[in-house]
Amino acid sequence: MFMEKYYRATLKQINKVTLIEVVCTVLILIILAALMYPNYQSYILKAHRMSVMSDLTQLQLELEQHHPNSYLAISNTLIGADGICHLCKTEPERFALSILVKEYGYSIVAQAKGEQLNDHCSGESYQYLSLNHRGETFPEHCW
């Protein structure tokens, strides 16, 4: 009988949580969230940068595939007059894509917009990413 009362008393004490314990747990979660949020943001920015770099490469492949015809003709079909790329996965709110066709070649440019302007590669910020007909990239430290 004594043991039964002892176990019941112990179970009642175990099931209760004090206000101090709840406050401490919430504070720990807030501190962890505050420490992890900047890393999460930089991961999201990097993921969008990698996505647009993939799109730039895809556009280059499409341009080279149709090289015998005309860079200008294919560039108008890849990126419409509204500035939206029809085969790209990049969000238009993050990058504005354009193809600059020249007499001797082309340059594909992804201009950073909005939140993406806060992105840094190798500790340096950038305004745009580009890839030209020779395979040259800018800024090099981002590729």
Side-chain angles (χ1 to χ4, degrees):
M1 186 76 171
F2 173 73
M3 292 299 276
E4 189 177 313
K5 288 182 181 178
Y6 173 74
Y7 286 124
R8 283 187 187 163
T10 305
L11 286 176
K12 286 181 182 178
Q13 289 175 347
I14 290 173
N15 291 335
K16 294 182 181 177
V17 178
T18 65
L19 181 62
I20 292 174
E21 291 171 330
V22 172
V23 169
C24 288
T25 304
V26 170
L27 284 175
I28 289 171
L29 290 174
I30 289 172
I31 290 169
L32 286 174
L35 292 174
M36 291 172 31
Y37 185 72
N39 290 335
Y40 174 74
Q41 283 297 101
S42 66
Y43 173 76
I44 295 296
L45 293 173
K46 182 178 179 182
H48 285 289
R49 177 174 14 107
M50 296 306 228
S51 175
V52 80
M53 288 165 57
S54 174
D55 287 341
L56 291 176
T57 305
Q58 181 67 31
L59 288 170
Q60 183 184 35
L61 290 172
E62 287 292 322
L63 285 167
E64 291 299 330
Q65 184 178 4
H66 297 89
H67 173 56
N69 300 332
S70 167
Y71 286 136
L72 186 58
I74 189 65
S75 69
N76 290 335
T77 61
L78 293 174
I79 298 179
D82 53 0
I84 296 176
C85 176
H86 301 294
L87 27 119
C88 301
K89 295 179 176 113
T90 302
E91 296 176 13
E93 300 84 33
R94 297 213 175 245
F95 286 97
L97 292 155
S98 61
I99 301 174
L100 308 170
V101 178
K102 301 173 186 162
E103 185 177 320
Y104 55 87
Y106 59 85
S107 181
I108 310 164
V109 178
Q111 182 76 35
K113 294 174 18 180
E115 282 290 316
Q116 204 63 38
L117 290 169
N118 299 327
D119 189 20
H120 297 278
C121 8
S122 301
E124 296 181 32
S125 64
Y126 64 91
Q127 298 295 315
Y128 65 94
L129 299 166
S130 70
L131 177 64
N132 68 18
H133 63 283
R134 289 186 232 135
E136 297 170 341
T137 58
F138 183 83
E140 287 184 27
H141 60 275
C142 289
W143 293 74

